[in-house]
Amino acid sequence: HGSPAWATERDPLQVINFPVVQLHMSLMAMRASQKDFENAMNQVKLLKKDPGNEVKLKLYALYKQATEGPCNTPKPGVFDLISKAKWDTWSALGSLPKETARQNYVDLVSSLSSSSKSSGQVEPGADRKPPGYETLVVTSEDGITKIMLNRPTKKNAMNRQMYHEIMLALEAASKDDSRITVITGNGDYYSSGNDLTNFTDMASGKVEELAKNSAILLRNFVGCFIDFPKPLVAVVNGPAVGISVTTLGLFDAVYSTDRATFHTPFSHLGQSPEGCSSYTFPRIMSPSKATEMLIFGKKLTAREACAQGLVTEVFPDSTFQKEVWTRLKAYAKLPPNAMRISKEVIRNKEKEKLHAINAEECSVLQERWLSDECMNAVMNFLSRKAKL
Ligand SMILES: CCCCC/C=C/CC(=O)SCCNC(=O)CCNC(=O)[C@H](O)C(C)(C)COP(=O)(O)OP(=O)(O)OC[C@H]1O[C@@H](n2cnc3c(N)ncnc32)[C@H](O)[C@@H]1OP(=O)(O)O
């Protein structure tokens, strides 16, 4: 629908095998590409939605590769965070030919423009429609609303949009006619926790303001879990990291595949506990077991997490989905008001306390995000030097 000329011109190259024709077509595509490259540069300036740092870095790198060729500047120092992220992304393109970089740039801009157009098209009726989610798949059947984290290629890392969408989905689930709400992940991970590219913004200009805004976002996000009125169940389909682990302490039940692991590497990342885990974990486990996880970053297997009370029950991976959903469907037949009121009785005793803990954790983290320890850990991950 309305694809730019270059998009259709590229296709014949994939089916024509005669070398001479192919060369001719390639040259035509390259000529068209240069023009489209210039158009694409203009289009970038007109994008309605900020595409996020990761995409901006890719655009930068492709632009440099297309105009100057392989990265040819000295590597910036470790504390020059923005320049280093740019340099890393450009240099990761290796010896990618200029023409290919130009084409990739055009392709990327085109995909950004069409996604901003398609979201623009729904705007007129948006007030009447349920929200469309980009990072989640939300479904409701058999009395259960399922919120599935849906960035499988990023191990369901939580970017800012996902935090916002989870809050929206929880708000909607609290009001719909379902009886139980489930959070689970798509793909092999439950979630790899906070998307570390959320912190690349931190390197630019107004760091204090960005840290403050992130702390507000985190506080609101965790607040939604504290206040959620219906039984909230985690179906942990694979490894869980960081905030996807700590918030489990605020769920009413946690079912896990035996393939999952539970990891809160806060010290490794120069950070400190969130999700009320500084309060819930020592109570659920024991203070010293919580220390091993929250301070020393010990990764637990599903069975260990179950033995320590963080996980309710572990299932073999081969039967996990079938067993868990059969059970949840049976639970969802229980009287909804009784379940809701029981949760209120249990949760109300400590709601105020949990909100206070949440506020305190967020304010400590706000400072941590500005520390060299944290910034270096994030940059090491983003420059592919460190993985958990
Ligand atoms: C608003 C701010 C609120 C802040 C709240 C604070 C929360 C604290 C936390 O959550 S701390 C935990 C942060 N998470 C991590 O440190 C995990 C980092 N990821 C990894 O170490 C690894 O990716 C892994 C061990 C989870 C998986 O390794 P594996 O080798 O199996 O897979 P890849 O590394 O190749 O991952 C596939 C692609 O996914 C990207 N990705 C994975 N996790 C994250 C992440 N947390 N943030 C950003 N990106 C992530 C990874 O970069 C790969 O992307 P690519 O295909 O484009 O290269």
Side-chain angles (χ1 to χ4, degrees), residues 187-190 236-239 256-261 302 314-317:
D188 60 344
Y189 260 66
Y190 175 64
V236 183
N237 56 298
S256 172
T257 162
D258 58 7
R259 207 172 51 74
T261 50
V314 182
F315 299 81
D317 195 52

Side-chain angles (χ1 to χ4, degrees), residues 231-299:
L232 182 62
V233 177
V235 171
V236 183
N237 56 298
V241 186
I243 187 152
S244 73
V245 177
T246 54
T247 42
L248 293 177
L250 298 169
F251 280 66
D252 301 294
V254 178
Y255 299 127
S256 172
T257 162
D258 58 7
R259 207 172 51 74
T261 50
F262 297 81
H263 195 190
T264 49
F266 298 130
S267 300
H268 299 70
L269 294 166
Q271 296 183 43
S272 51
E274 27 65 0
C276 293
S277 58
S278 62
Y279 177 70
T280 57
F281 277 30
R283 283 163 56 100
I284 291 170
M285 310 170 178
S286 71
S288 68
K289 293 287 185 193
T291 294
E292 281 207 297
M293 278 197 87
L294 297 176
I295 302 182
F296 300 143
K298 183 182 179 192
K299 190 195 284 186

Side-chain angles (χ1 to χ4, degrees), residues 205-225:
K206 305 171 181 167
V207 277
E208 280 84 10
E209 197 182 318
L210 285 160
K212 190 173 161 207
N213 291 342
S214 300
I216 293 169
L217 175 58
L218 179 62
R219 186 173 165 180
N220 291 338
F221 176 77
V222 173
C224 288
F225 287 81

Side-chain angles (χ1 to χ4, degrees), residues 153-155 192 194-196 243 274 381 384 387-388:
T153 57
K154 297 288 177 189
K155 310 289 180 193
S192 61
N194 185 48
D195 188 317
L196 294 175
I243 187 152
E274 27 65 0
F381 173 74
R384 297 290 178 266
K387 238 179 224 193
L388 296 174

